[in-house]
Amino acid sequence: MASAPPKTAQSTPPPLRADARRNREKLVEVAAAVFAEAGVETSLEDIARRAGVGIGTLYRHFPTREHLVEVVYRRELESLAAAAADLAASHAPDAALEEWMRRFVGYIAAKRGMASSLKILMDSNASLFAEGSGILRGAVERLLRAAADQGFIRNDIDTSDLLHALSSIYSLPASAEWRDRSNRLIGLLMDGLRTKK
């Protein structure tokens, strides 16, 4: 008899009670902050404690560390993509692009903290990363085109070039100054993109 396929974070979970949903959301929020700050090897007990729940509650929602990492990764990705529309609606096109790139630094910080577990996920679920790459490309392309079409930035910049420039921030050595240095690089990048008005 064939065995049932293993559950993953993509499996559709049953509907949660309001308190269970709040606990799950709090665990994901805390895990994202902790992974970005201290790395994915942070103890799950510490994450549960900071979220104000017991370790059993964490394991009911996330049977393995990789389940938690996958959900945190998806949350960061979706949040970054959604920010593009919000920023486009509330900022001038060049300012929207710059702020989105600064938020990209936060996304990179979370990815750096989850690197070892993301490698495991990449080996077992490559479609997750292909999907994520497409989502990010679509978000930044809309911001880039709007800023270029309205004359705020050069019109000869390609989405791939910009994403490569942003991704290079990932390779900066980890240090207490990493985030400040990353933001300075974004400022330099925007200086090079803006048209002289």
Side-chain angles (χ1 to χ4, degrees):
M1 186 169 92
S3 59
K7 289 187 178 181
T8 69
Q10 289 182 318
S11 302
T12 304
L16 296 174
R17 296 185 328 260
D19 61 332
R21 188 172 59 252
R22 281 191 301 272
N23 286 342
R24 187 177 196 278
E25 289 168 359
K26 184 66 176 175
L27 282 163
V28 173
E29 178 185 330
V30 167
V34 170
F35 291 162
E37 169 193 320
V40 77
E41 297 309 321
T42 302
S43 79
L44 296 180
E45 287 81 1
D46 186 44
I47 291 170
R49 182 183 53 75
R50 292 194 198 192
V53 301
I55 189 64
T57 298
L58 184 149
Y59 281 121
R60 272 194 298 280
H61 291 290
F62 308 105
T64 68
R65 184 178 299 271
E66 279 65 43
H67 278 86
L68 179 57
V69 168
E70 180 177 344
V71 172
V72 168
Y73 172 76
R74 283 182 180 278
R75 173 187 178 268
E76 295 297 304
L77 186 65
E78 289 165 5
S79 174
L80 186 60
D86 294 341
L87 291 166
S90 59
H91 291 68
D94 60 330
L97 178 62
E98 182 171 7
E99 178 57 29
W100 188 87
M101 289 194 295
R102 293 190 188 285
R103 293 185 186 193
F104 188 85
V105 169
Y107 165 76
I108 288 176
K111 274 185 69 175
R112 284 171 71 119
M114 298 185 292
S116 58
S117 286
L118 285 175
K119 170 90 170 69
I120 294 169
L121 283 173
M122 191 178 293
D123 292 342
S124 64
N125 188 5
S127 64
L128 170 66
F129 297 92
E131 173 192 342
S133 178
I135 289 170
L136 288 185
R137 174 176 289 280
V140 75
E141 188 160 357
R142 285 188 295 275
L143 292 171
L144 192 61
R145 292 284 61 90
D149 289 349
Q150 295 180 46
F152 286 90
I153 65 168
R154 297 163 43 167
N155 61 10
D156 61 346
I157 185 71
D158 180 80
T159 304
S160 295
D161 293 337
L162 183 60
L163 285 172
H164 281 299
L166 288 172
S167 296
S168 68
I169 292 171
Y170 190 89
S171 65
L172 289 174
S175 72
E177 298 177 344
W178 179 84
R179 196 175 289 264
D180 288 341
R181 181 174 293 173
S182 300
N183 281 308
R184 284 197 302 275
L185 288 174
I186 286 172
L188 288 170
L189 186 55
M190 282 305 301
D191 287 346
L193 287 173
R194 281 192 173 98
T195 55
K196 307 297 184 232
K197 288 197 170 188

